[in-house]
Amino acid sequence: MSRKPPHPLVKLAFHVEHNVESWGWRVRRKLGLARPPRILPYRGYGSSRQCVIKARVLENRHVRPPWKRHTLLGSAIASWKRYNTVEIPRARVLARWGEHRWEGTTDEEGFLELWVEPPPEAKAGWNDVELELLSPSPEGVERVRAPVLLAGPEAQVGVISDIDDTVIVTNVTNFLKRAWTLFLTEHRTRLPFEGVDAFYEALHQGSTGAALNPIFYVSSSPWNLYEHLDEFLGLHRIPSGPLLLRDWGLSRTGFAPGGGHGHKLEKIRGLMSTLESLPFILIGDSGQEDAEHYRTIVREFPGRIRCVYIRNVWHRAGREKELAFIAADIRAAGSEMLTVDDTVTAARHAASQGWIRWQEVAEVQAHQAEDVQARTLLDKLDREHG
């Protein structure tokens, strides 16, 4: 599917903006006013044939770690620092994987995306790649480790999940609540949907308990929230996986947010093409365009999608009928779509299809009950404290 080329004025504005930012950082660096760069590693992914190493080079804004942020003001300051980034374009980065070396250069927005062939000693699952800044100003810049997830031969299925209102309650259909979630909350004060951790762990283990099925998270959230979302997944013991987010603000292709969620399609297509021998399960919610996008993927990759799970989170008039039409289209294309109100329903279906072990359904049910109790307690405390 071809993308509409950006308007020439958008391209011009993008280049002007980034040239000004780059020039401003270089001037401040010469005057001794700029903070040193930092490498922010992202999780990469791939197969034994090819994989991507991902990171971003930014001016170090020294965001305080979560255990040092105790107030709403502290959260707001941390969020402002995350969004008010200064990207370092054309930075040279050295990647070390065992005895192998590659060098990459960041783009205008500071992103590094380095496609390589994994070395022979690379293992299925997570591998660490060391990243070192070569220029500019490498002095004092810490080396970092970028995890790369390789799908191995024992993997039975890949899982692609939305995040907003699929894993985390974010109320993305409500602008004010979404703004509050993005800017003024910490990962410690947010809860996942009930039972998600156990269900995703069961999918990760597969029918054998040792399948190491890779899980990928696709979201409309900006890359600026990468650390925030990564901390959330770790805190709630949700299986880690590459986070595929979007760049907010002015870009080569336009201005985001805006223009729908078509970027998710691009991310999913990339995953499907890179892991071309792996079938997938897709998980989303009814509040955005997940079902519509997943229908497109089912049609474009016939025989590759085992099932589409859609969580009911938004009961807009007519949405139920829309979802029924989409489910019929997906069945006609050779797959199936299941709309669920809770995680246990999805887990029971997955067990009936042989994608997870039946014993894990009880685990999902137990975790769902615990999460419901925790959410009820938090809601009670919120009401008591106004």
Side-chain angles (χ1 to χ4, degrees), residues 356-370:
I356 68 173
R357 294 171 293 170
W358 270 108
Q359 65 203 61
E360 298 301 325
V361 176
E363 191 73 12
V364 174
Q365 194 164 13
H367 280 237
Q368 179 169 289
E370 292 173 2

Side-chain angles (χ1 to χ4, degrees), residues 1 3 18 20 30 37 43 49 56 66 76 81 109 119 190 213 277 285 310 359 370 380-381:
M1 183 181 297
R3 164 185 276 198
H18 284 277
V20 169
K30 289 182 179 180
R43 288 193 176 96
R49 293 185 297 277
R56 198 177 192 186
K81 287 183 176 181
E109 297 167 280
R190 300 166 66 184
N213 292 329
S277 62
D285 65 85
I310 296 295
Q359 65 203 61
E370 292 173 2
K380 180 181 179 182
L381 291 174

Side-chain angles (χ1 to χ4, degrees), residues 43 163 167-168 187 192 196-197 200 215-217 226-243:
R43 288 193 176 96
I163 297 178
V167 175
I168 308 172
H187 66 281
V196 161
D197 57 342
Y200 282 33
I215 300 179
F216 305 90
Y217 301 94
Y226 181 91
E227 292 169 291
H228 181 94
L229 294 171
D230 190 41
E231 290 167 355
F232 177 90
L233 295 177
L235 176 67
H236 294 286
R237 299 183 179 180
I238 298 170
S240 61
L243 297 171

Side-chain angles (χ1 to χ4, degrees), residues 22-90:
S22 178
W23 175 83
W25 185 81
R26 290 196 301 269
V27 169
R28 287 190 295 112
R29 181 162 63 94
K30 289 182 179 180
L31 295 175
L33 301 176
R35 298 179 178 89
R38 68 174 291 216
I39 304 174
L40 175 58
Y42 298 142
R43 288 193 176 96
Y45 63 88
S47 66
S48 59
R49 293 185 297 277
Q50 65 168 342
C51 66
V52 62
I53 301 168
K54 298 172 70 72
R56 198 177 192 186
V57 180
L58 306 164
E59 184 179 32
N60 195 344
R61 304 307 302 274
H62 298 291
V63 176
R64 298 179 71 185
W67 57 88
K68 292 186 179 181
R69 302 193 293 266
H70 305 292
T71 66
L72 186 63
L73 178 60
S75 296
I77 292 173
S79 294
W80 178 80
K81 287 183 176 181
R82 286 194 188 104
Y83 281 88
N84 192 32
T85 56
V86 176
E87 302 84 15
I88 311 298
R90 296 180 292 279

Side-chain angles (χ1 to χ4, degrees), residues 98-119:
E99 299 300 319
H100 296 258
R101 305 285 186 273
W102 302 275
E103 187 177 316
T105 303
T106 61
D107 65 13
E108 298 98 326
E109 297 167 280
F111 289 105
L112 174 73
E113 190 169 287
L114 188 59
W115 286 92
V116 303
E117 180 181 351

Side-chain angles (χ1 to χ4, degrees), residues 18 39 110 171 186 199 211 219 285 291 319 384:
H18 284 277
I39 304 174
N171 297 292
E186 286 292 339
F199 181 44
S219 173
D285 65 85
R319 184 56 172 163
E384 290 176 352

